[in-house]
Amino acid sequence: MNVPVEFPLGLAAALFAIGAFGVVFRRSVIVVLMCVELMLNAVNVTFVALARELGAMAGQTAVFFVITVAAAEVAVGLAILLVAFSRRRTLDGDQFASLRG
Amino acid sequence: MPEIQTDLLRWIVAAPLLGVVLNIAAALGNRAKLARLVGPASVIVAFGLALVAVLRLAAEPAGAALVDDVYGWIEAGPLAVNLAFRVDALTAMMLLIITGIGSLIHIYALGYMDHEPDVARFFAYMNLFVASMLVLVLADSLALLFVGWEGVGACSYLLIGFWYAERANADAGQKAMIANRVGDAAFLIGMFILFWGMNALHLPSLKLSAINAAAPLLASAMPWLPTLVCLLLLVGATGKSAQIPLYVWLPDAMAGPTPVSALIHVATMVTAGVYMIARLSFLYAQAPVAMDVVALVGASTCLFAATIALVQDDLKKVLAYSTVSQIGYMVLGVGVGAFSAGLFHLLTHALFKALLFLAAGAVMHAMHGEIRMSKLGGLGAKMPITSKVFLVGSLAIAGVPGFSGFFSKDMVLEAAFAGGHRVAWLLGLMGAACTAFYIFRAYFLTFRTEVRAEPEKMAHLHEMPPVMTVPLMILALGAVAIGWLGLPGGFLWGNVLGEWLAPVLARAPGHHAHLSAATLLGLMGLATTAALAGIALAWVFYVRSPALAGRLAARSGAAYRLLWNKYWIDEIYDGLFVRSYAAWSRFAWRVVDTTIVDGLVNGVGQSVTLLAGLWRRVQSGDLQHYALATLAGAVTLVGGAWALTAGF
Amino acid sequence: MIAFWVVALLAIAGALVVVLHRNPVYSALGLVLTLFQVAVIFALLEAPLLALLQVIVYAGAIVVLFLFVIMLLALEPEKRLAAPFPVAVAGLVLAGLLGFALAAASTVPLAGAGQGALPAGFGSPESLAASLFGAHLLPFELTSVLLLVAVVGAVVLARRRS
């Protein structure tokens, strides 16, 4: 099994772009969070691909950290989301604009 | 020159300062009695201490000095100034004038200010003045001298405007302050340049003795420097000593209580300029051009002010212009290099003019503030003592032989003649004739001739209490006797004062060409004739045929009006300086400040508000907008990195 | 190669479901699909342990958490799916550009790449552990602190509701 490194990297680019588009495109904050997870996964794919390409385990270690941080982020993010929902009865991102200058 | 260390001198200054503190306490606690005790007592204590110091100095060989180094005051780079006092022959004379005459005036003030509710404030200012004046003459450095110089100016301002409720008095105080500011600025600049020069010679000091010692060095290293410094200091002196062109404040200064006029504006503060020039006599001796200017200023002021005094109606105004004129003699004296002659006139003038002022004050007090001579007359019968002492003062100032003014004025004129300043001498001689005329005009119009005052005022008229007349009599005695300290050389005991002062004063080279006895007698005769002619003329005009004066005034209308309006100098200054300054200030206010400066400041604020209003819209608070911006940044970064690595 | 293509297309399909589906439950399921495919990619790229972690942590914990919240809030399918039209178009253009730029950048030759055979045991749990507890011990410990903070933060946020 020998996939050239450009292929996983291309897949990662596609996933990252779709995730980024989703962050901008979707109103629902919970879906935005999912899109962020997509983008993180895209990054993980590049890490793993390049780790194999360069023969460096540091790439895989980084993925380990990213997964951990993503877990923490989701935990806190969803907690915030719950609080926000209880205040506004909605998860529509447009409704959370109290920082408007 | 031997210097004797002593702790005595600081207490001479401390005594009146303590008086200030106690008087302030008295003012706050409303204890007029305490003020009336402390006010004069503190000055008398200072007089006693000064007497001790002078006697101790007299016991030392000539040229010695007492020194009291209190503490280091300023240390900045090469400059080190100590708060240090020094008494030499010149300071000793000034000390006795200030504290001696000051004591008499303070005692007199007890009577003069007896109805004054604010007497504690009055004595607080007076004591502060005495302390400042003592600092001025005791200072061993130019910097400390300047402290006293400013201190007496401030007290003068406070006391001229003592009855500040009246607008004219407050204005007179401000006029004095502003005229002195002009002079003091020049004084400061002169001091800075002087220190710069001293520093360039590696003698970084402002000590008066060091300046005098370094004067020849300064002159040889930088010939222009002593002249420039002396001229700038002269401007300072014209402010403080009321000389042309800054004399204008002194006549107005008579708005203050009469003892103030006698103490500050006659005997002490106004002579500070003369004292300062004499103090730096070695420096002035190196600046012949500056000396000539000094002599010219003195001589012209002397005649100029005397002519104004000829026609004034206000008795105190006559005396004020007379003071300006007499200080002109002193300045003339120091200007022609006869420092001791100028100082001698300072001494005699302090006595006889203080006497005249206090006598005029007694008249004013008795007449409930009336001081216009056209409303006085014939007071001699009701006020015999005042009348007699005024006559003594008049004889002294007129220069009648035997009285003190004769000796000192003659010495100044003689020195001017001997030094080759013939024009200055002539101006001085004419001034002397005018002096004799105006002072006897004042005497006749006030104490002789018919009574012109309202009858009800005459009914209450009485001689002053002893607390006022005794100081007057002591001053009268001094006004006669003090002149005998300065007899012409070789006559009886000779010039005692001149010999006492000689070690601390410079001898200007080229001056004092020896005059023959015949010339001397001739000069004396001329001066005496001028004085007697002035007196006689005054008698003719105001006693024998009073109508004559009025007719003359009417005949020479233009000249009379010129003198009556004091050459319109006040009006000229008003137009030249006050109005143009006000116009400039208005320009600075309306155009520079409100339009340009405020416009800039407000413009900055407004443009920030405007820009912030624009930028505010960027902060929409909408998550998607922020995400979009982040995305755009990411595209830029990645695209840029790719473009760089791919080698576009 | 065929396996890779299948996996990659499935991953992209799952991602599109996440972004485009109205119902958040389907979005979550699409996310699961993508995450599984990424796990397969990991396995293909000599990272078996990470593939396992991907399935356990992401699919097993994170997506379950998402679903749990969706159920808890009883979220309906959204009526207003997309951001305002200009924002959506701008996002599409920018995301496309970003994808293109990233893909283009991945073709740039890499210094030190493709140096033949991998070291023995590359990607094994032992080698990951050696890296994690050797050179990267400090980040590892910091991560554990971060997790602790996240737990405390989540608890505090959740408690405030009462």
Side-chain angles (χ1 to χ4, degrees):
Chain A
M1 184 70 216
N2 212 345
V3 183
V5 72
E6 287 82 7
F7 288 86
L9 287 182
L11 172 66
L15 284 178
F16 192 85
I18 293 169
F21 171 65
V23 168
V24 177
F25 180 68
R26 291 297 292 253
R27 284 175 193 263
S28 171
V29 182
I30 195 161
V31 181
V32 168
L33 265 181
M34 290 181 203
C35 292
V36 171
E37 296 306 316
L38 276 182
M39 291 163 78
L40 285 170
N41 269 281
V43 172
N44 283 352
V45 171
T46 46
F47 268 124
V48 172
L50 287 171
R52 198 198 57 164
E53 183 71 7
L54 299 175
M57 273 309 286
Q60 295 199 11
T61 318
V63 173
F64 180 85
F65 290 131
V66 172
I67 292 174
T68 323
V69 172
E73 176 232 321
V74 168
V76 176
L78 287 177
I80 292 172
L81 210 137
L82 285 176
V83 175
F85 185 82
S86 71
R87 295 248 170 111
R88 300 279 169 104
R89 291 282 137 202
T90 178
L91 284 180
D92 193 335
D94 294 2
Q95 301 302 309
F96 300 100
S98 57
L99 280 180
R100 186 196 302 278
Chain B
M1 281 201 255
E3 290 191 339
I4 300 111
Q5 298 291 331
T6 171
D7 283 350
L8 175 66
L9 307 183
R10 66 187 69 170
W11 298 109
I12 302 178
V13 179
L17 273 183
L18 185 66
V20 176
V21 173
L22 289 174
N23 273 314
I24 290 173
L28 294 176
N30 228 346
R31 293 177 189 270
K33 249 188 194 162
L34 175 68
R36 300 172 74 82
L37 175 71
V38 169
S42 65
V43 182
I44 293 168
V45 168
F47 175 59
L49 292 169
L51 208 58
V52 172
V54 173
L55 288 177
R56 202 191 279 183
L57 180 71
E60 301 293 334
L66 303 180
V67 175
D68 185 356
D69 203 337
V70 184
Y71 64 87
W73 175 34
I74 301 173
E75 276 194 43
L79 175 66
V81 179
N82 280 10
L83 184 75
F85 301 123
R86 191 168 190 277
V87 174
D88 59 8
L90 173 56
T91 300
M93 182 189 101
M94 295 301 292
L95 271 185
L96 292 183
I97 294 177
I98 295 161
T99 55
I101 298 180
S103 297
L104 292 175
I105 292 173
H106 274 75
I107 294 167
Y108 171 95
L110 284 179
Y112 190 83
M113 303 296 274
D114 59 350
H115 303 308
E116 173 61 49
D118 222 358
V119 69
R121 183 164 64 92
F122 174 76
F123 276 121
Y125 291 164
M126 288 289 269
N127 285 351
L128 185 61
F129 169 79
V130 171
S132 305
M133 193 68 205
L134 288 170
V135 168
L136 198 163
V137 297
L138 282 167
D140 91 324
S141 68
L142 201 55
L144 189 56
L145 187 150
F146 190 70
V147 172
W149 186 276
E150 287 296 319
V152 292
C155 293
S156 163
Y157 162 76
L158 290 170
L159 284 163
I160 293 169
F162 181 73
W163 289 308
Y164 53 79
E166 251 178 72
R167 181 66 197 258
N169 298 346
D171 283 350
Q174 291 190 10
K175 192 172 178 183
M177 197 63 164
I178 291 166
N180 271 299
R181 288 280 71 67
V182 178
D184 294 352
F187 188 111
L188 258 187
I189 296 167
M191 183 157 75
F192 294 156
I193 295 175
L194 180 60
F195 180 74
W196 176 80
M198 296 287 285
N199 199 29
L201 289 183
H202 304 291
L203 293 167
S205 171
L206 278 175
K207 276 180 87 135
L208 294 160
S209 49
I211 293 169
N212 275 331
L217 267 173
L218 274 173
S220 59
M222 291 166 275
W224 53 272
L225 190 130
T227 308
L228 180 64
V229 170
C230 288
L231 285 175
L232 284 168
L233 294 181
L234 171 67
V235 175
T238 60
K240 200 61 72 189
S241 289
Q243 296 295 292
I244 290 174
L246 295 176
Y247 72 91
V248 288
W249 63 272
L250 185 58
D252 288 19
M254 302 307 153
T258 305
V260 171
S261 307
L263 178 62
I264 301 182
H265 305 123
V266 169
T268 52
M269 185 186 88
V270 290
T271 62
V274 180
Y275 166 79
M276 188 268 295
I277 293 175
R279 185 38 91 198
L280 293 172
S281 60
F282 292 90
L283 186 67
Y284 271 86
Q286 299 295 335
V289 179
M291 289 283 275
D292 288 346
V293 176
V294 174
L296 195 68
V297 166
S300 43
T301 307
C302 157
L303 181 61
F304 181 78
T307 55
I308 298 178
L310 290 176
V311 298
Q312 297 303 310
D313 187 34
D314 184 322
L315 178 58
K316 277 180 82 177
K317 279 270 160 72
V318 171
L319 293 175
Y321 279 105
S322 161
T323 303
V324 174
S325 162
Q326 294 296 313
I327 299 166
Y329 279 111
M330 303 172 206
V331 174
L332 171 61
V334 295
V336 299
F339 295 106
S340 72
L343 291 169
F344 183 31
H345 196 60
L346 190 163
L347 173 62
T348 58
H349 174 257
L351 284 159
F352 63 65
K353 186 55 73 61
L355 169 63
L356 288 169
F357 252 104
L358 295 183
V363 170
M364 193 176 173
H365 195 60
M367 298 296 287
H368 302 283
E370 184 57 76
I371 202 71
R372 284 170 296 168
M373 291 186 289
S374 52
K375 299 283 179 201
L376 299 171
L379 300 183
K382 296 263 186 135
M383 303 177 75
I385 301 175
T386 309
S387 161
K388 283 198 185 79
V389 296
F390 195 92
L391 180 62
V392 171
S394 301
L395 290 168
I397 192 175
V400 172
F403 292 87
S404 61
F406 166 75
F407 297 105
S408 57
K409 197 184 294 179
D410 205 58
M411 198 187 281
V412 169
L413 290 177
E414 192 186 291
F417 189 84
H421 296 81
R422 298 292 151 87
V423 178
W425 170 78
L426 195 64
L427 292 171
L429 192 65
M430 286 155 66
C434 292
T435 305
F437 177 82
Y438 69 66
I439 199 68
F440 273 89
R441 170 177 172 267
Y443 172 72
F444 290 137
L445 285 177
T446 308
F447 296 103
R448 298 283 167 255
T449 68
E450 80 284 9
V451 176
R452 290 180 296 275
E454 295 87 352
E456 67 268 24
K457 274 195 180 166
M458 290 305 285
H460 294 113
L461 191 60
H462 56 87
E463 184 54 274
M464 293 293 102
V467 72
M468 289 168 79
T469 52
V470 170
L472 283 177
M473 288 188 282
I474 296 173
L475 283 172
L477 205 66
V480 178
I482 205 80
W484 295 83
L485 282 178
L487 296 180
F491 180 67
L492 289 180
W493 48 81
N495 190 348
V496 177
L497 186 77
E499 281 158 27
W500 166 252
L501 290 174
V504 296
L505 296 175
R507 291 192 67 82
H511 293 273
H512 285 278
H514 202 69
L515 297 174
S516 69
T519 323
L520 276 177
L521 277 178
L523 288 173
M524 239 181 244
L526 263 176
T528 311
T529 313
L532 293 176
I535 297 172
L537 209 60
W539 181 73
V540 171
F541 271 3
Y542 297 101
V543 181
R544 231 195 94 181
S545 46
L548 213 58
R551 246 184 292 152
L552 187 69
R555 183 89 58 80
S556 54
Y560 181 79
R561 269 204 307 281
L562 186 66
L563 293 181
W564 173 250
N565 289 303
K566 306 144 195 167
Y567 296 94
W568 282 287
I569 292 290
D570 277 339
E571 285 75 11
I572 292 170
Y573 278 12
D574 187 55
L576 220 56
F577 302 115
V578 179
R579 267 156 218 257
S580 59
Y581 184 74
W584 269 107
S585 303
R586 216 166 303 132
F587 173 77
W589 162 39
R590 294 248 168 87
V591 179
V592 178
D593 207 53
T594 45
T595 311
I596 299 177
V597 176
D598 287 4
L600 274 176
V601 172
N602 293 341
V604 168
Q606 279 162 3
S607 54
V608 166
T609 310
L610 205 75
L611 280 173
L614 287 175
W615 279 110
R616 195 168 61 91
R617 286 150 193 262
V618 173
Q619 299 290 331
S620 65
D622 194 331
L623 189 65
Q624 257 92 28
H625 295 160
Y626 298 134
L628 204 58
T630 313
L631 195 53
V635 170
T636 313
L637 278 175
V638 175
W642 169 60
L644 281 176
T645 47
F648 284 116
Chain C
M1 275 311 288
I2 301 163
F4 176 80
W5 277 110
V6 172
V7 168
L9 287 175
L10 278 175
I12 288 171
L16 287 175
V17 170
V18 172
V19 173
L20 295 175
H21 207 282
R22 257 177 215 287
N23 193 333
V25 178
Y26 284 93
S27 288
L29 291 177
L31 185 60
V32 174
L33 180 62
T34 304
L35 293 177
F36 272 123
Q37 305 318 310
V38 169
V40 175
I41 301 269
F42 284 177
L44 286 175
L45 293 174
E46 323 284 343
L49 184 62
L50 284 180
L52 277 175
L53 282 173
Q54 174 85 1
V55 173
I56 296 166
V57 176
Y58 258 120
I62 293 179
V63 177
V64 168
L65 200 56
F66 270 110
L67 282 170
F68 184 73
V69 170
I70 293 166
M71 302 301 180
L72 186 70
L73 299 180
L75 290 178
E76 299 290 313
E78 293 167 44
K79 296 189 178 54
R80 294 163 65 242
L81 176 84
F85 188 69
V87 176
V89 171
L92 188 61
V93 172
L94 282 171
L97 277 174
L98 185 66
F100 174 74
L102 285 171
S106 66
T107 63
V108 175
L110 215 57
Q115 66 236 130
L118 290 169
F122 182 83
S124 64
E126 291 85 358
S127 62
L128 186 62
S131 171
L132 208 52
F133 301 112
H136 302 97
L137 184 61
L138 184 64
F140 177 79
E141 295 296 343
L142 288 177
T143 312
S144 62
V145 174
L146 182 76
L147 277 175
L148 180 65
V149 171
V151 169
V152 173
V155 169
V156 168
L157 283 168
R159 270 171 59 95
R160 204 193 271 166
R161 287 206 292 167
S162 56

